[in-house]
Amino acid sequence: MYLQPNSRTFASLDADYSDWHKGRDQFSLWYLEIEDTACRDYLNTLQQQFQPFLYMPNYRQWHITLFVCGFWQAPFHLQHLSDHFHERQLQQQIDLLHQLQAESFELKLGGIRSYQSALFLDVIDEQNILLQLRRCFWPVAKEIDAMIYCPHVTLGLYRDEFPANEILQQMNQTQTQTWTVKFRHLTFGSYQARELQGELSAHYHFLLG
């Protein structure tokens, strides 16, 4: 849900969330790495302007989530759970990506916006490239995140319940620019489920033509 005037943000708590991970460690996803140094500096600058509102530390690399797969490489006795992602499913998705024969592509980073739980930048996909890529994942596995897919770059999670009007006012006062980013590969990786805003670990790169 987008942040609305006269509301409050949701606080992200550094908790264990054992009901979610059930003892499993690696939560996996397909994503696009933002590797352009100047663009990363720009994102760091934006994040710093909102740092009093955001959960820190935040070690997660700048990226665009493409498809949320679920837990993988879990112990055998937990692989029956509905949010487990099997390695055979990963291989099937890779096979479909090969059939697509996608070329390298560009996306634009746009204005700053906010969910109730997180601050983010819009991603502008004029050619609907992300939809084509995501179609390689749907036949194989049900996406874990049931929300409507909205490509974005997360600047940070809110660390407390702040008045929305304070956030919205600063957003209106923050200067942004449209930034074009080129992507030459897709990444399959994971993060540690018990660590809030921990690093992404890349396990596989799918090179684009």
Side-chain angles (χ1 to χ4, degrees), residues 42-107:
Y42 166 68
L43 294 170
N44 287 333
T45 299
L46 286 179
Q47 185 184 66
Q48 290 169 6
Q49 293 181 51
F50 289 86
Q51 188 164 326
F53 300 108
L54 303 179
Y55 177 89
M56 292 292 170
N58 183 353
Y59 299 114
R60 191 149 301 170
Q61 301 94 317
W62 298 118
H63 70 284
I64 301 168
T65 297
L66 189 56
F67 188 87
V68 180
C69 300
F71 289 95
W72 83 310
Q73 294 189 338
F76 181 78
H77 70 282
L78 296 174
Q79 293 184 11
H80 68 282
L81 297 174
S82 61
D83 58 354
H84 178 73
F85 185 70
H86 294 269
E87 293 198 29
R88 67 173 181 273
Q89 291 174 298
L90 173 61
Q91 186 57 56
Q92 289 169 341
Q93 290 180 339
I94 292 171
D95 292 342
L96 291 174
L97 286 171
H98 280 297
Q99 293 178 28
L100 182 63
Q101 298 183 332
E103 302 287 331
S104 57
F105 60 90
E106 294 180 344
L107 298 172

Side-chain angles (χ1 to χ4, degrees), residues 168-205:
L168 296 171
Q169 181 179 11
Q170 183 158 340
M171 287 167 57
N172 290 333
Q173 295 172 349
T174 301
Q175 292 186 345
T176 59
Q177 56 183 294
T178 301
W179 204 287
T180 301
V181 185
K182 187 163 187 175
F183 298 97
R184 296 179 173 85
H185 66 263
L186 316 179
T187 303
F188 174 80
S190 66
Y191 60 84
Q192 290 295 316
R194 303 167 196 254
E195 184 179 357
L196 188 62
Q197 294 296 279
E199 290 186 15
L200 290 166
S201 297
H203 304 299
Y204 178 80
H205 288 129

